[in-house]
Amino acid sequence: MTAAMPQIQVKALACPNCGAQVQLRGFANTLTAVCGNCTTVLDTSTPIVSILFEFDKRQIRKPLIPLGTRGKFDNTTYEVIGFQVRSVEDEGQTWEWGEYVLFNPLSGFRYLTEYQGHWNLVRPVRAIPVTGQTKLGVTLAGRTYRLFQTATAKTVFVLGEFPWRVKKDEEVNYDDYTCPPYLLSAENTASETTWSEGEYLDGKIVWRALGLPGAPPYPVGIYVNQPSPHGSDSRGALRLCGVLELALLCLLLYFALFSRRETVFTETRQLTTPASGEASYVTPAFELKGRPANVEIQTRTNVENHWAYFGYALINDDTGHAFDIGREVGYYHGRDSDGTWTEGGRNDRVSIAQVPAGHYYLRVEPEAEPNSPPVSYTIVVRRDVPSYAWFAIAALLIPLPAIAIVWRRYRFEYERWQESSYASKLGKLIG
């Protein structure tokens, strides 16, 4: 059910300091109000409004969202009635963020926080989170949060209305626990601890919800509870990788078990190198049976410290269609100052994919290095021989996307936790 904003007359009072009108949109819930004209902080909890303090003009900050702006969050219309700026100092540096007070008379208060373009919609938490075995983790509503940072925040500027008594330079100790996209915060004072839970929002969602003109500030860096664009869990990619590897293994086993590996032709000859060169020749015809499959041509030689070249044409005796390939073998060895060495090899094999069934013969054009000794060579033609090289390549390629996903997610989390008070515990915290 949508909680709309009731049309209730807004209460107004005159600022005791400058006389400007101060509107109270939070009604009896407003304990502190700030004059928008002179930034005087007023105590409105009593019938006689009193001045608490006034901010120095140098402390004034301009909110990104004007007070009085209305918009819907969680199907409820809220009005922006207050704005405060808090700061943290650490190692000589100061960080500031803005907090907006949202109010609906029926649903109460919500808060919008903004830091360098990162937004969170925050609600108070009444339940007390359960502390884990160490202070580094708490559990709430089935979610486990990890302690991200502990610091002391100081209020440096306020504007509008607040359901608490604002104090000048008020300081609170806080602990932030993260479980993206959620953020659990504990604010600790001398008298109490209050818990709140925030949910990360894209700035564009905030701008649409409030109907603001222009574009929101672009987010800088990685925020405490910013969801990873690479997914919150890498196990899905790893599982898919495992399934594909298993399917590849099953396919490999299928080809290994059911490939025919049939030898359809074999012949041994002697290659000499007369001045006129070696003439080409054709082999007797042989039959390739069954479904279209690969044909492997093996060449085995006894070359030593020279090379030999073989031009092959696998020709269909019925259609005349030819598959032309050329292969060279060469084997060299010797000894030098660094010891013995070898280069090349005596044997070769090549595969022709998807050759239809039929009657075939080979046209062979052998050639040897000039003035080399005779070369003895054997040609072996085999049908339907599985090639495991493609399986090896596929097995190496399949994990690459999963590795990339895991690596990018790790880098995102690593950079996030570099901003933590517990960066030294990265090994335990990144998961």
Side-chain angles (χ1 to χ4, degrees), residues 156-168:
V156 297
F157 179 71
V158 293
L159 188 66
E161 308 167 46
F162 300 90
W164 67 84
R165 288 182 174 84
V166 174
K167 298 178 182 179
K168 189 174 184 179

Side-chain angles (χ1 to χ4, degrees), residues 147-309:
L147 182 60
F148 188 86
Q149 60 190 5
T150 298
T152 299
K154 180 172 70 173
T155 300
V156 297
F157 179 71
V158 293
L159 188 66
E161 308 167 46
F162 300 90
W164 67 84
R165 288 182 174 84
V166 174
K167 298 178 182 179
K168 189 174 184 179
D169 297 329
E170 181 180 24
E171 292 186 349
V172 296
N173 299 318
Y174 72 92
D175 300 315
D176 277 343
Y177 298 81
T178 181
C179 178
Y182 300 99
L183 175 68
L184 194 62
S185 298
E187 292 191 1
N188 307 294
T189 63
S191 58
E192 64 176 348
T193 297
T194 58
W195 290 87
S196 60
E197 184 182 55
E199 183 175 2
Y200 189 90
L201 293 180
D202 187 280
K204 295 178 182 178
I205 296 177
V206 175
W207 248 237
R208 285 197 299 266
L210 297 172
L212 297 173
Y218 190 80
V220 178
I222 299 174
Y223 195 58
V224 179
N225 63 323
Q226 180 180 356
S228 172
H230 312 299
S232 60
D233 194 346
S234 306
R235 286 174 290 186
L238 295 175
R239 281 195 295 267
L240 178 60
C241 175
V243 170
L244 293 177
E245 291 283 9
L246 180 60
L248 183 66
L249 177 61
C250 293
L251 192 61
L252 184 148
L253 292 176
Y254 171 83
F255 279 99
L257 293 174
F258 295 100
S259 294
R260 298 173 64 183
R261 299 182 180 84
E262 180 184 8
T263 300
V264 295
F265 175 79
T266 182
E267 183 180 60
T268 300
R269 286 200 174 207
Q270 188 98 344
L271 171 62
T272 59
T273 55
S276 60
E278 182 73 19
S280 63
Y281 65 92
V282 297
T283 67
F286 48 84
E287 184 179 4
L288 301 180
K289 302 177 182 179
R291 57 179 173 80
N294 72 322
V295 171
E296 180 186 82
I297 302 175
Q298 295 183 17
T299 308
R300 304 169 186 169
T301 73
N302 65 344
V303 295
E304 189 160 349
N305 286 322
H306 57 273
W307 56 263
Y309 176 84

Side-chain angles (χ1 to χ4, degrees), residues 43-63:
D43 183 357
T44 61
S45 61
T46 60
I48 301 176
V49 177
S50 59
I51 297 176
L52 294 175
F53 59 91
E54 183 180 353
F55 278 101
D56 189 298
K57 298 296 183 183
R58 293 172 295 180
Q59 294 176 287
I60 294 177
R61 309 288 195 277
K62 184 179 180 180

